[in-house]
Amino acid sequence: MLQSNFAQTDRPRATLSSMEAMPSGDQNGIGPLLHFARGFIRRQYGIVILATVLSLAIGIVFLRVMPPTYTAHVQIQLGIPKPQFVQQQSLVAEPSLDLREFETQLQILRSAPIANTVINRLNLSTDLEHGSPSPLGSLIRHVRGWFGGAPGSAQEPVADATLIAFLDRLSVARVNASNVVELTFNWNRPDRAAEIANAIADAYIADQLNAKAAANRTATQWLQQRLRELGDQAETAERAVNAYKSENNIVSTGGKPIDEQQVVELNGRLVSARAQTAEVLARLNRYESILKENPAVSQSIGTLDTAGSDVLASTIITNLRQQYLELARRESDYSAKFGRDHRSVVNLRAQMLELRASIFDEVRRLTETSRSDYEVAKQRQQELEKQLAGAVSSSRTTNSAEVTLRELETRAKGYRNLYETFLQRYMASAQQESFRTSEARVIFPASPPQSKSKPKTPIVLALALFGGVGLGVGLGFLREAMDRVFRTPDQIESALGLPCLSIVPLLQAATLRKLKPIGRPPSDPEIRRTVSTASPMHWAFVHMPLSRFAESIRSIKLGIDLNPTQISNRIIGITSSLPHEGKSTIAASLAQLIGQSGKSVIVIDCDLRNPSLSAALAPDATVGLLEVISGGNSIEAAVWNEPKTNLAFLPAVTNRRVLHSSEILATEQMRKLFDLLRSTYDYVIVDLPPLSPVVDVRATSTLVDSFVLVVEWGKTKIDVVQHALHTAPNIYESLIGVVLNKTDIKSMIRYDAYRSDYYSDDHYIHYNLSDSS
């Protein structure tokens, strides 16, 4: 921040700070985090412990005050399939148990009718009205009251309040992706909780049965009314069919009209007659084909073998043929034995000719018979054809009436079938009412719980413990964020861009009380201007030369001497951002150190509005800085000395309020005085006023070679110092460094974890250094 404001400063600042800001090694590893955590715990362990103890105490009080709650569990299976015969006879459609239907059943379980049934059955109204409601229920009722609802029972009906209290204790949820619902109910008694949970399950199953029974009754009543209507409609339609038949003289047997039956019958007889005629004609044709052969010439009866079964079926022809074949066999044997011209052979041939002639005579007779049969069959066929034509002609005259009749019969049949169907459904419904089944059943009834469900003692204590630790850590971080004060050299170097010259420990009041003045000033008026040593704080360096305090003052002088930008005779200004940060003590101690080292040194109190250093070192001074620059007195008459430390002191005597102190510090007389002092002394230590309240320090930028800024450990705000230096850029450019004053060394270990060993007393004791020596 300040580095950007004063970028024109080209001298290096805090060159070693980047080297020791982190320990050697990886700066992004776990080491810095562990160091920060350790330091944070050291700094904020008190508030963390306090918050944890308070949180545990609240948790214990909560466990003692909060009444126990016992939770009973009931598991109900939904969607139990019904027997097949029940499903077939059911009038009400069975819904499929999909996700929407499942959620519907969950809402029914939490519905007001189920709750009212259980409340009335178990007489829970009194317990719910006077029992302690659940915290969640109370919160819900209060929120409802904010938005217009009644927050309490004074404006809310008792029944509604009881129902809300009951539903607050009830919870219904699906068990994973199954068809099982888990119902839980909270009560302050385990046996009562189990009883209420089982009652809710029983009430739900009874409600399901009653709902299905009511639906079946409604369907049965509708069926009865519909059956009466269908019966009347079927009877009316059947009467219309009979009336139409009478009007159109339509007679039927077996469900068909007479004309239609006659046509069908004649058509069948005609087909049979035609088949018979064709058969007789075929037989006649075969006989005629046999006779067409020349029987007188042919000496063989081989054609009879191919004549067909009708010829061979004749008994006469079969006998004659067998005789013929026997004679033919004998003729063949005799011809081979006696020769073809033998008389016996000739006689056999004559007999064969006679038999052949007899066979063909029989064939002629059969031909004449078949021809007569053909004529009879043909006449019969023609007669049937005439009869069929007459029946068809008669049936055509009744076609239009039959169409209307069929329409009437179809309507009457439809009404009759619908009536029979509804009658069957009605009978099935009547039977099903006596077989009541439910699609839900309790698979795991509730039993009295053995332990309370809430509040859970381990969980409450664990939450209280971790909550207290978390709250303490959060408050600790809040304190860290709000702690915008200087506590470590790293904060000085990062926030101000200046090196920390020294860490000056806090001078304890008990230690200061043990210190005694070095001596009293002489009573001789000529040498009375001896610096007073009555203030132990301002002379702590002299009293404790082997202390941490003295060593820190040496570190300041070393920083001043090693500043390469200044001349040998130096004018050093000691200032701070706010009053009471210890700049005057630092200025006096630094001068004492320089004086004891053999150098000539003078301390000038330039805090003209509040000369606190003059009040401590020269309380009786009547002549001072203002009198010297005004020309009224010489510098020798105004300077006070301390012979043991070789310290000279120019006080500031103000008998009245100085209104224009900055103009006085910027005068030519003041410049001449400082030039005189530079030539007279090796070091000129100027105790300046603070930066923030007044602007006097800015007026001394041309008089002072370099400045040292004093900040108080744990008190001086970082923002205040940054603002003070921002408004005084000329002072910032001349600053050698910063002194961290009034430091609590023991507490520094908690804030500067990287240099914890640096603040250990062991190293100082090794060199005979302590805070009290």
Side-chain angles (χ1 to χ4, degrees), residues 74-382:
V74 175
Q75 289 188 352
I76 304 173
Q77 180 183 359
L78 303 181
I80 300 175
K82 292 183 176 180
Q84 187 66 26
F85 74 95
V86 176
Q87 293 183 8
Q88 294 175 355
Q89 296 179 2
S90 178
L91 292 177
V92 183
E94 302 294 336
S96 60
L97 194 63
D98 55 2
L99 182 59
R100 181 179 299 177
E101 179 64 22
F102 205 100
E103 292 295 332
T104 302
Q105 298 304 317
L106 294 182
Q107 294 303 319
I108 292 175
L109 274 167
R110 286 184 52 85
S111 62
I114 301 294
N116 287 330
T117 300
V118 177
I119 292 172
N120 295 330
R121 181 186 303 172
L122 300 180
N123 193 20
L124 299 176
S125 300
T126 304
D127 295 336
L128 290 172
E129 290 175 3
H130 297 88
S132 60
S134 64
L136 179 60
S138 300
L139 178 61
I140 293 175
R141 283 192 287 276
H142 282 296
V143 172
R144 289 180 58 190
W146 297 339
F147 291 95
S153 59
Q155 302 178 4
E156 190 176 39
V158 175
D160 292 344
T162 302
L163 182 62
I164 293 174
F166 182 86
L167 294 179
D168 286 342
R169 300 169 182 266
L170 176 63
S171 177
V172 181
R174 186 177 186 178
V175 179
N176 297 329
S178 64
N179 289 347
V180 177
V181 175
E182 186 174 39
L183 181 149
T184 61
F185 193 82
N186 300 323
W187 200 258
N188 54 7
R189 287 167 44 199
D191 53 345
R192 192 65 165 169
E195 181 183 5
I196 296 173
N198 289 325
I200 296 173
D202 295 339
Y204 168 73
I205 295 176
D207 180 76
Q208 295 295 301
L209 291 174
N210 294 333
K212 291 185 180 297
N216 284 330
R217 283 195 299 270
T218 303
T220 302
Q221 294 173 359
W222 178 81
L223 277 177
Q224 288 178 346
Q225 181 181 359
R226 186 59 179 159
L227 277 173
R228 287 193 294 268
E229 296 175 357
L230 289 175
D232 295 341
Q233 292 174 353
E235 184 178 355
T236 302
E238 290 172 352
R239 289 177 180 177
V241 171
N242 294 331
Y244 188 80
K245 285 182 179 181
S246 300
E247 291 175 1
N248 293 276
N249 196 20
I250 299 176
V251 181
S252 62
T253 59
K256 293 184 178 181
I258 297 297
D259 292 341
E260 184 179 349
Q261 292 181 1
Q262 187 177 5
V263 169
V264 173
E265 183 180 354
L266 290 175
N267 190 31
R269 292 170 59 189
L270 178 60
V271 171
S272 177
R274 286 176 178 173
Q276 185 177 2
T277 303
E279 182 182 357
V280 173
L281 179 60
R283 187 167 59 250
L284 176 62
N285 291 334
R286 284 195 295 273
Y287 289 154
E288 288 179 349
S289 65
I290 294 173
L291 294 177
K292 284 181 181 179
E293 294 181 0
N294 190 355
V297 177
S298 177
Q299 300 296 321
S300 175
I301 61 172
T303 56
L304 294 175
D305 296 333
T306 60
S309 60
D310 295 333
V311 177
L312 297 177
S314 175
T315 306
I316 297 173
I317 294 176
T318 300
N319 293 333
L320 292 175
R321 184 172 178 275
Q322 289 178 354
Q323 293 176 15
Y324 180 86
L325 292 176
E326 179 63 26
L327 292 176
R329 185 186 60 78
R330 292 171 59 190
E331 186 274 336
S332 177
D333 292 340
Y334 285 175
S335 296
K337 187 181 293 185
F338 305 108
R340 292 185 57 82
D341 295 332
H342 192 272
R343 186 172 183 84
S344 297
V345 174
V346 172
N347 291 333
L348 290 172
R349 289 195 188 110
Q351 292 177 4
M352 291 171 61
L353 288 175
E354 291 176 358
L355 288 173
R356 182 177 178 277
S358 298
I359 291 173
F360 278 95
D361 288 341
E362 181 63 23
V363 170
R364 290 188 188 95
R365 186 184 67 78
L366 292 174
T367 300
E368 292 299 329
T369 302
S370 297
R371 185 176 288 109
S372 176
D373 292 339
Y374 172 70
E375 292 297 333
V376 173
K378 188 175 182 181
Q379 290 178 0
R380 181 185 175 189
Q381 176 183 342
Q382 292 174 354

Side-chain angles (χ1 to χ4, degrees), residues 553-612:
I553 301 301
R554 295 185 181 96
S555 178
I556 299 173
K557 181 180 181 300
L558 183 62
I560 295 173
D561 293 339
L562 295 179
N563 183 15
T565 61
Q566 303 300 330
I567 59 178
S568 58
N569 293 21
R570 299 182 175 102
I571 301 178
I572 308 299
I574 310 298
T575 185
S576 62
S577 58
L578 295 173
H580 309 296
E581 294 189 70
K583 61 178 180 60
S584 298
T585 302
I586 297 299
S589 300
L590 181 61
Q592 295 166 21
L593 170 63
I594 296 174
Q596 287 185 345
S597 65
K599 299 289 185 178
S600 59
V601 59
I602 185 171
V603 180
I604 305 177
D605 189 356
C606 286
D607 191 354
L608 302 180
R609 300 192 187 188
N610 184 26
S612 59

Side-chain angles (χ1 to χ4, degrees), residues 513-736:
R513 283 195 295 268
K514 297 178 182 179
L515 303 180
K516 296 181 180 180
I518 299 176
R520 292 183 180 181
S523 58
D524 189 351
E526 296 297 330
I527 57 176
R528 183 176 294 178
R529 291 195 311 274
T530 302
V531 175
S532 173
T533 60
S535 175
M537 179 179 297
H538 293 84
W539 294 93
F541 178 84
V542 176
H543 289 287
M544 301 183 297
L546 297 177
S547 64
R548 274 192 172 187
F549 176 80
E551 198 66 20
S552 63
I553 301 301
R554 295 185 181 96
S555 178
I556 299 173
K557 181 180 181 300
L558 183 62
I560 295 173
D561 293 339
L562 295 179
N563 183 15
T565 61
Q566 303 300 330
I567 59 178
S568 58
N569 293 21
R570 299 182 175 102
I571 301 178
I572 308 299
I574 310 298
T575 185
S576 62
S577 58
L578 295 173
H580 309 296
E581 294 189 70
K583 61 178 180 60
S584 298
T585 302
I586 297 299
S589 300
L590 181 61
Q592 295 166 21
L593 170 63
I594 296 174
Q596 287 185 345
S597 65
K599 299 289 185 178
S600 59
V601 59
I602 185 171
V603 180
I604 305 177
D605 189 356
C606 286
D607 191 354
L608 302 180
R609 300 192 187 188
N610 184 26
S612 59
L613 187 60
S614 298
L617 301 184
D620 300 328
T622 57
V623 177
L625 176 64
L626 295 178
E627 287 74 17
V628 172
I629 62 174
S630 65
N633 297 91
S634 64
I635 190 171
E636 290 80 5
V639 173
W640 290 52
N641 297 283
E642 205 293 308
K644 291 185 178 181
T645 58
N646 195 25
L647 173 66
F649 175 62
L650 179 60
V653 179
T654 55
N655 297 323
R656 64 182 183 277
R657 296 183 61 184
V658 180
L659 300 179
H660 306 288
S661 56
S662 59
E663 287 80 357
I664 294 174
L665 295 175
T667 59
E668 180 66 20
Q669 290 81 2
M670 184 67 71
R671 187 185 63 77
K672 291 180 179 179
L673 174 61
F674 271 71
D675 289 341
L676 176 62
L677 294 176
R678 183 195 300 273
S679 62
T680 306
Y681 295 94
D682 297 325
Y683 290 89
V684 179
I685 307 300
V686 184
D687 182 20
L688 296 170
L691 290 170
S692 292
V694 293
V695 297
D696 295 1
V697 181
R698 305 181 202 177
T700 64
S701 59
T702 59
L703 305 176
V704 178
D705 297 331
S706 57
F707 294 88
V708 173
L709 180 66
V710 178
V711 297
E712 184 176 355
W713 182 90
K715 293 290 184 65
T716 305
K717 298 290 185 181
I718 296 176
D719 299 335
V720 172
V721 177
Q722 289 177 336
H723 178 71
L725 295 180
H726 177 73
T727 57
N730 53 345
I731 304 300
Y732 178 79
E733 293 177 1
S734 301
L735 276 174
I736 299 175

Side-chain angles (χ1 to χ4, degrees), residues 382-451:
Q382 292 174 354
E383 184 65 25
L384 288 174
E385 288 176 352
K386 291 179 181 180
Q387 293 179 4
L388 179 61
V392 170
S393 177
S394 176
S395 65
R396 287 176 180 174
T397 59
T398 59
N399 282 341
S400 59
E402 290 178 355
V403 170
T404 304
L405 178 62
R406 282 194 295 272
E407 182 179 354
L408 293 175
E409 289 177 342
T410 302
R411 182 178 301 174
K413 185 177 180 181
Y415 279 126
R416 180 57 60 184
N417 292 337
L418 189 59
Y419 175 80
E420 292 177 354
T421 301
F422 272 71
L423 181 59
Q424 292 176 359
R425 302 292 288 177
Y426 173 74
M427 297 300 294
S429 174
Q431 294 297 325
Q432 189 178 4
E433 288 185 1
S434 62
F435 185 76
R436 301 179 64 183
T437 60
S438 174
E439 295 181 1
R441 68 185 181 95
V442 176
I443 61 175
F444 187 81
S447 59
Q450 300 300 320
S451 60

